[in-house]
Structure formats: structure tokens, C-alpha cells
């Protein structure tokens, strides 16, 4: 269904600094590029948060009926230490330290990246290109930039002339920085002596004799600049001008700023209509850092084998936790926050499990169509997952009211209600029902609790309220909450 024709999406555009009405370049089709990982280590939890945000955006756009070509790259060469133009390649450095081939490093951590994302129930992108698979495209792009007067070669390396570009364009249009300020704040650094100006950035670097990863080019045996890779891959698969470019907030400058400059210099147009940036993930109120030990990786969070959290958390609880915050907000990962999210997730899943047991009436006292549109309105407002979740909990309240008989729902409205909740919980937010996935263990637990509920009911009939309260209280201590309603007693787990 082409639901997008009936929904008005607003996206916070880093380029304009405002929420802009979204209109795709080609009706019904969306091109979206997101900067992927540099595969020299296990995927960082902060990166998982960024990719999770864009996974939900991808899911929602697909749900609306758009045909989305989602391109997320793998950087497997050319990303130097400290995101600089000098120093050692991150992948080469890892290979040297571990005494293995660079492509062994790439393979190991690409597999880890995919395994982690699969664990968190990510949809795969439409295309996942690698930097090393597009060396020819990058060389051709550099040739065009040089021919257009915005690149220059020195001693086998090629640099982008930022000052020449800024004469007719705006270097800083995305990050809102001014070149004059960058000049004032730039100190001379080692390895920049070949550049006309310190602000210029590498398009191609001549490889030092010890540099393992190298390719022949018209200028030298070397490797492409990090910024160039994304320009080459995004335009190859999405065209010179496409709809959405995403990534982490830390990529806005210089990486994305340089992408705009490269595209403008080579093709004469700005590459993207909507630039989207996901914010940072903190751990207990502080920036994650390996040097300070304030860090936890996804496996440690999932297993509980870490010094920060009281227990292990399931992938869906972590997804739910992330979705309770806007992708543009700094997210603070804490044990209290995850525990609260786990309770909320369990409550949501308990509500979902009751959908098939609701009784219908001839008429509805609930306005399901208005509630449904509120769910869409939340996502249409820059993919506001916290408000969407609040609306889903309003739906859970409706479920309880229908069970208790204080509200009624017609058969037709019930079908709409069920379809909407299932679509938002599973298809858009990407959650799974971990309890249902647990299989027979959950079934056995349910059977045991139902037996205790029956014994408690008998105790209440016999006015043995001490035993009744004891059963309720001891189940509560075990994390099982009894809920007494007009149609009997149900239970949920915390």
C-alpha cells in the first residue's frame, strides 16, 4: 500500500537546521546512504545506536510503501588514525599489531559487525559496498575534481583545494563553520607540508614503502582519502543527487562537509536534500572511552559480563531502550534506564499477547482511527519514536479497558487496532517478543503460575487471605506480577 501518499513526514535537516517537509526526488522512491563502520575492531555500541536509528527510519519508510534503496558502506581502507591525512591506516595498524594480513582484519570485524546487527534484528541494507571494491570509481572522481580546478597533485598525493573551492562555494554549509575561523584555529601539523593550506584534505595519498594496502593510480601507488570513498559509492548507487544521507553526529565535520565539497566540485551540485545525524551514546553520564575504561561492548551488554550493569539484557530490551529517546538526543546508557526499559518492554509485550483474546462488541466506544493516526503523526514528526511508544502504551491501556469491560471495540476496529500495534511494535520498531521466542520454558512458567493463581483463588474463596497474600507477594518477589480484573487474574513478568 502507498501509505506515504496520506502521511506528511518532517525531517530535521542538518543542512537547513530545521524540520523540513520531506518530498522524495522521485515519487515513491527513496535513495538513502548511511556511513558504515571502519572495520578494524569490534563494532562500538555507539555505532550500534546510530545504525539502529537508521534501521528504524528504513523500516518506517518501507512500511509507508516507499521503495527504498538503502546503501550503507564498509570502510576497509584509507581511514587514517585520528581521521587525519597523515599517520597510519587503522586497518593496517591492527594487522601489524596482530601479525596478520589487513584483509584478515577486514573479514574478522566485518563478520562481527554483521553478527551484532543480526542479533539486534536489523534489516540488511539494499547494497553494502566496500571502499576497496570501488578504487576505479574513486580515481575517476579525483580526475574530474582536478580537471575542474579544485584538486592538485604534490609528490604523488592529491589534495582538495578548500580555499579555491570556497571562492565560489561555501565550505562549512553543513557544519555552519566559517573558513576564516578554521584558518585562525589551525596549527601547522606534521605531514601537512605538501598542502597549499592546512585546511586542504587528501583525495589520494602516496603510500609509504611500509604501507601494505596500495593501488596503482595516475599519481602514485597509494590509497584513496577517507572522505572520497563515500562520495564515490553514494553517487554510484544513488546518483549525483539523492534524498537522504545519514551518519553519526561526529561525522558532520569534516567527513560530511568534505563529501558536499567533493560532489559540488566534481558534479556541480549538492549531493543530498536531507542530511540526518544521530547523536552520541554516553555511559553513566560520561563519554565512552577505552582509555578511561568507561566503555562496554555489545556482547558484554548482552551477556551481563561487565562491571556496569546488574544483569544481562535481551536485544529487544536494548532496542526498546534506544527507541525511547529521539535519535537526535544524547542517550545516556545506565543500569536504571535499562531496568526501567525492561519493565516497559514487558508491559508492552504483555499487552500484545492479549490482543487475540479481546472480545468484540457491535460498536466501539474507543476512537481507534484517531489513535492510529497519532502513532503515524509521531513517526512523521522526524521519526519521534518516544512519542510513538507513548501512543503504543495508550493502546495497552485500551487493551486493559476492553478486558475489564469499561470500553468496547467492534470487530472491524479490532482488526485495525491489532494490525497497527503489530506493525509499529514489530515491523517499525523492530522488536521481537523475547518471551514468545523463549518457547517451552515460557510455557512451563505460565503453567506453574496458572496453578498458583488457581490455588490463590481457592484460598480467597475459603477466606484464607493470609495464604492468598503470601502467593501474590512471593510471586512479586520473583518478578511475577498478578493483575486482578473483571475477567479473572492474569500475570506479567518484570
Amino acid at each position: 500500500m502507498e501509505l506515504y501518499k496520506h502521511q506528511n513526514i518532517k525531517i530535521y535537516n542538518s543542512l537547513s537546521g530545521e524540520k523540513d517537509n520531506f518530498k522524495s526526488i522521485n515519487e515513491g522512491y527513496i535513495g538513502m546512504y548511511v556511513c558504515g563502520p571502519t572495520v578494524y575492531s569490534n563494532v562500538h555500541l555507539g555505532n550500534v545506536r546510530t545504525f539502529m536509528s537508521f534501521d528504524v527510519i528504513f523500516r518506517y519508510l518501507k512500511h509507508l510503501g516507499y521503495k527504498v534503496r538503502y546503501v550503507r558502506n564498509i570502510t576497509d581502507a584509507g581511514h587514517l588514525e585520528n581521521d587525519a591525512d597523515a599517520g597510519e591506516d587503522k586497518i593496517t595498524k591492527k594487522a601489524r599489531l596482530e601479525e596478520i594480513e589487513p584483509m584478515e582484519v577486514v573479514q574478522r570485524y566485518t563478520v562481527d559487525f554483521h553478527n551484532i546487527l543480526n542479533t539486534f534484528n536489523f534489516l540488511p541494507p539494499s547494497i553494502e559496498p566496500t571502499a576497496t571494491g570501488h578504487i576505479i570509481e574513486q580515481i575517476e572522481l579525483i580526475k574530474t575534481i582536478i580537471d575542474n580546478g579544485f584538486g592538485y597533485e604534490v609528490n604523488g598525493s592529491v589534495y582538495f583545494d578548500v580555499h579555491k573551492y570556497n571562492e565560489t562555494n561555501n565550505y562549512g554549509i553543513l557544519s555552519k563553520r566559517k573558513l576564516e575561523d578554521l584558518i585562525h584555529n589551525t596549527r601547522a601539523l606534521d605531514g601537512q607540508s605538501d598542502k597549499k593550506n592546512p585546511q586542504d584534505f587528501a583525495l589520494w595519498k602516496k603510500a609509504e614503502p611500509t604501507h601494505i594496502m596500495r593501488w596503482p593510480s595516475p599519481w602514485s601507488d597509494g590509497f584513496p582519502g577517507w572522505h572520497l570513498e563515500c562520495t564515490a559509492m553514494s553517487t554510484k548507487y544513488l546518483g549525483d543527487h539523492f534524498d537522504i544521507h545519514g551518519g553519526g553526529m561526529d561525522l558532520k565535520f569534516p567527513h560530511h562537509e568534505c563529501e558536499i565539497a567533493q560532489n559540488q566540485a566534481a558534479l556541480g551540485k549538492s549531493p543530498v536534500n536531507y542530511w540526518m545525524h544521530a547523536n552520541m551514546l554516553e555511559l553513566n553520564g560520561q563519554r565512552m572511552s577505552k582509555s578511561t575504561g568507561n566503555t562496554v561492548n555489545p556482547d558484554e551488554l548482552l551477556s551481563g559480563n561487565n562491571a556496569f550493569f546488574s544483569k544481562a539484557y535481551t536485544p529487544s530490551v536494548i532496542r526498546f531502550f534506544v527507541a525511547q529517546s529521539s535519535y537526535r538526543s544524547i542517550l545516556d546508557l545506565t543500569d536504571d534506564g535499562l531496568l526501567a526499559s525492561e519493565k516497559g518492554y514487558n508491559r508492552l509485550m504483555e499487552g500484545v499477547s492479549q490482543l487475540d483474546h479481546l472480545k468484540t462488541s457491535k460498536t466501539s466506544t474507543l476512537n481507534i482511527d484517531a489513535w492510529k493516526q497519532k502513532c503515524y503523526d509521531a513517526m512523521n514528526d522526524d521519526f519521534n519514536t518516544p512519542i510513538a511508544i507513548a501512543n503504543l502504551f495508550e493502546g495497552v491501556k485500551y487493551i486493559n479497558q476492553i478486558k475489564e469491560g469499561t470500553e468496547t471495540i467492534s470487530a472491524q476496529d479490532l482488526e485495525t487496532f491489532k494490525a497497527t500495534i503489530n506493525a509499529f511494535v514489530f515491523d517499525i520498531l523492530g522488536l521481537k517478543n523475547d518471551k514468545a521466542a523463549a518457547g517451552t520454558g515460557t510455557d512451563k512458567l505460565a503453567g506453574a503460575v496458572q496453578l498458583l493463581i488457581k490455588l490463590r483463588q481457592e484460598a480467597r474463596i475459603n477466606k484464607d487471605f493470609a495464604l492468598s497474600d503470601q502467593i501474590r507477594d512471593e510471586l512479586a518477589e520473583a518478578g511475577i506480577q498478578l493483575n486482578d480484573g473483571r475477567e479473572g487474574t492474569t500475570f506479567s513478568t518484570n
Side-chain angles (χ1 to χ4, degrees), residues 346-347 350 435 449 479-483 490-494:
N346 288 334
R347 182 177 157 221
E350 177 64 24
K435 294 180 182 179
V449 175
I480 299 169
Q481 184 72 40
L482 298 186
N483 308 301
T490 59
F491 75 94
S492 59
T493 56
N494 297 325

Side-chain angles (χ1 to χ4, degrees), residues 37-57:
T38 300
V39 283
Y40 70 100
S41 64
N42 296 108
V43 62
H44 189 278
L45 199 57
N47 289 339
V48 172
R49 188 262 173 118
T50 294
F51 300 133
M52 195 175 287
S53 298
F54 286 102
D55 181 63
V56 171
I57 291 167

